[in-house]
Amino acid sequence: MTADFDQIAPNLIDSFELEPDSAKKKVSAFPHPPLTVVICVDHAATTGGQAKVAADSAIGLKRQGHRPILFAAAGPIAPELEAAGVEVICLGQDDLHGNASRMAAAIQGTWNFEAGAALGRLLASLPRATTIVHVHGWAKALSAAIAPPIRASGLPAIYTFHEYSLFCPSGGFYNYPKSAICHLEPLSAACWLSQCNPWSYGRKLWKNTRLLVAQKGARLPEAFSDFITISDFQREIVTLLLPRGAHLHRLSNPVSVADLGPKSDPLSGDIIFIGRISLEKGPLLFAEAARKIGMSPTFIGDGPSLPDLVAQYPEARILGWQSGDQVRDLMRASRALVFPSLWYEGQPLTVLEAKALGVPVIVADTCAGRDEVEDGVTGLWFKGGDANDLACALVALREDAKVAAMSAAAYRAYWADPRTIEHHTEGLVSIYHGMLDEHRAKVPEKSAVRTSIDSIRAAARHEGM
């Protein structure tokens, strides 16, 4: 069927041009064909929240009958992608931190020639009418080299903000040596002079250079017509930085968590920290606040600040990295979760998972996690970076009645609007169709007819599978 259609397509285009009205009627009679979505992300493995969301969205799209293609620089490939039958193109490269050569990493991070060429070949092979490019990450392996092939393809493209690498050299608007939010204008003279990263000033200069290449050379932000923010807090941060005319969408990340029902014992367990033990996540702040009230804090995770945590707060209970099931069980058994992050964040999945399990959350009011916590109802806010105020919140959770009420309210609030993969996928597909409709409206009529031909061809191939 596909071969016959390819043979008659040119004549069909000519006949459509002779009778445009009837042609439009014929094309509109066909249902929407499955979408092809090229999902670009640094890692094919679920190394963090960014990669997990990319993988989950690919699996969700596959389940709904679409054709996701996950394009990544660094492996290995997540087994859940293979189990779901998702197409994966992985270049088998190291990411910047895993590369043994600092020089090779610097070159790759500035311009990954292999990734740019491979993406260009992929996009050139896909149907024009039903393909979307969706970028989740570029700064850890792919580089800004993905921008020219995206623009050259002419395909609609969208970018999800998991962090802020598109506009900030460090990716987080955060000054690591000062342990504080950075309010400098990105790439301004003051930004170039500021030593804001946790390593050397030389690395800071390279990061500035990389962003300069991405913005001015590759024009990476301009490769996208649409952007997704994953929290209202994040939307406030990026709105004024977007290219003129860009469309901004709000779509929560998906969360993979089972409904275990309300907690039967909300008053038992420790108050815990879960996540990467690094300065910007605030583990030392939690430990200091706990010490002020004579509490031994519990930490689940690992990271570069673990030695400092152990040395400065020997009373802390360190459980290290745990499996997904173990983390769920430990969180479910806890009295509360503390999320003391010092940087903006995007949308912390840990906060959502805690609510789903009926666990109250104490969250810094200066990070995106606050969007998911109703102060005094499903958890407590504290002044970001303030150990004394965090200590007050910890004391407040000694009241059993308050903890029990917050546990029940957190559970109800999450399951009233669960962030399932299905819900996330439906939101994505709606955004994608809107992008394709707008894209078609901008092309000349002959191109629009040819686009419709591509749609019919795609539908025919899908039926022939």
Side-chain angles (χ1 to χ4, degrees):
M1 180 176 179
T2 303
D4 293 341
F5 189 90
D6 288 339
Q7 291 173 4
I8 67 170
N11 293 331
L12 189 56
I13 292 174
D14 291 339
S15 68
F16 277 7
E17 290 175 342
L18 290 173
E19 297 180 306
D21 291 337
S22 61
K24 290 175 184 175
K25 184 180 296 184
K26 292 177 183 178
V27 170
S28 65
F30 287 90
H32 284 302
L35 299 173
T36 299
V37 184
V38 179
I39 299 170
C40 298
V41 65
D42 292 307
H43 299 91
T46 51
T47 54
Q50 183 182 97
K52 178 170 173 41
V53 172
D56 284 349
S57 66
I59 293 169
L61 289 165
K62 181 70 175 180
R63 288 175 181 168
Q64 289 196 6
H66 301 287
R67 182 194 178 190
I69 304 172
L70 191 133
F71 180 88
I77 299 172
E80 56 265 34
L81 290 170
E82 296 179 320
V86 173
E87 297 175 56
V88 179
I89 297 176
C90 180
L91 303 182
Q93 299 175 312
D94 292 316
D95 64 11
L96 304 189
H97 293 291
N99 199 315
S101 168
R102 293 178 65 182
M103 179 61 71
I107 294 172
Q108 176 187 340
T110 305
W111 200 265
N112 189 333
F113 291 92
E114 183 180 353
L119 182 60
R121 290 192 296 271
L122 171 63
L123 298 183
S125 71
L126 299 175
R128 307 291 88 193
T130 55
T131 299
I132 292 283
V133 182
H134 191 157
V135 176
H136 286 266
W138 63 277
K140 296 178 181 178
L142 287 174
S143 86
I146 62 174
I150 291 174
R151 280 202 308 274
S153 73
L155 296 170
I158 188 168
Y159 184 94
T160 291
F161 287 104
H162 295 282
E163 27 69 22
Y164 307 95
S165 294
L166 206 59
F167 301 119
C168 172
S170 70
F173 295 112
Y174 186 75
N175 188 309
Y176 286 86
K178 293 182 179 179
S179 297
I181 297 295
C182 174
H183 297 285
L184 298 178
E185 180 184 349
L187 299 183
S188 65
C191 174
W192 282 93
L193 292 172
S194 173
Q195 159 49 344
C196 61
N197 77 65
W199 300 286
S200 68
Y201 182 57
R203 186 175 294 194
K204 161 62 192 289
L205 292 178
W206 171 76
K207 286 192 170 186
N208 273 42
T209 301
R210 177 182 65 172
L211 183 60
L212 185 65
V213 169
Q215 289 191 348
K216 305 300 183 184
R219 294 184 292 122
L220 181 59
E222 299 166 32
F224 308 103
S225 61
D226 292 68
F227 296 85
I228 291 175
T229 59
I230 53 182
S231 65
D232 293 333
F233 182 97
Q234 187 187 59
R235 187 185 187 99
E236 296 176 9
I237 303 300
V238 304
T239 296
L240 296 179
L241 300 171
L242 295 175
R244 182 175 298 178
H247 301 288
L248 192 57
H249 309 272
R250 167 73 165 85
L251 182 65
S252 174
N253 280 333
V255 180
S256 300
V257 60
D259 184 356
L260 301 181
K263 285 186 68 174
S264 58
D265 55 346
L267 306 181
S268 64
D270 297 326
I271 297 179
I272 64 173
F273 170 104
I274 297 177
R276 178 176 168 82
I277 300 179
S278 55
L279 286 177
E280 73 278 9
K281 293 291 187 178
L284 301 184
L285 182 74
F286 174 37
E288 179 63 23
R291 175 176 285 179
K292 287 178 180 294
I293 63 170
M295 187 186 93
S296 296
T298 298
F299 293 86
I300 301 167
D302 200 347
S305 296
L306 181 59
D308 293 332
L309 178 65
V310 172
Q312 296 178 40
Y313 301 95
E315 70 272 21
R317 181 179 177 225
I318 312 294
L319 301 184
W321 285 122
Q322 305 287 322
S323 70
D325 288 344
Q326 288 171 324
V327 169
R328 179 203 61 207
D329 292 343
L330 288 165
M331 187 184 292
R332 176 75 168 180
S334 68
R335 185 178 180 94
L337 172 79
V338 174
F339 196 84
S341 189
L342 300 172
W343 78 290
Y344 284 144
E345 296 282 352
Q347 184 191 42
L349 296 179
T350 307
V351 173
L352 289 168
E353 290 164 356
K355 285 178 61 181
L357 294 172
V359 177
V361 181
I362 302 176
V363 63
D365 66 359
T366 50
C367 80
R370 74 180 194 188
D371 281 1
E372 303 298 337
V373 177
E374 187 177 354
D375 189 25
V377 178
T378 60
L380 296 172
W381 291 10
F382 73 94
K383 296 176 183 177
D386 189 328
N388 290 323
D389 202 44
L390 175 53
C392 290
L394 294 173
V395 169
L397 287 194
R398 288 175 172 171
E399 298 181 29
D400 288 349
K402 179 175 289 188
V403 172
M406 286 182 174
S407 171
Y411 173 82
R412 287 195 305 270
Y414 178 84
W415 291 105
D417 181 24
R419 316 299 172 80
T420 62
I421 293 178
E422 291 75 19
H423 177 80
H424 179 77
T425 306
E426 290 169 2
L428 284 177
V429 171
S430 177
I431 293 171
Y432 294 158
H433 279 304
M435 291 172 63
L436 287 168
D437 289 343
E438 181 149 339
H439 186 68
R440 293 186 191 105
K442 292 179 179 178
V443 298
E445 185 159 338
K446 182 172 181 178
S447 297
V449 173
R450 193 174 299 276
T451 293
S452 299
I453 295 295
D454 286 342
S455 298
I456 301 169
R457 182 186 287 116
R461 286 174 178 155
H462 182 70
E463 290 175 4
M465 290 180 181

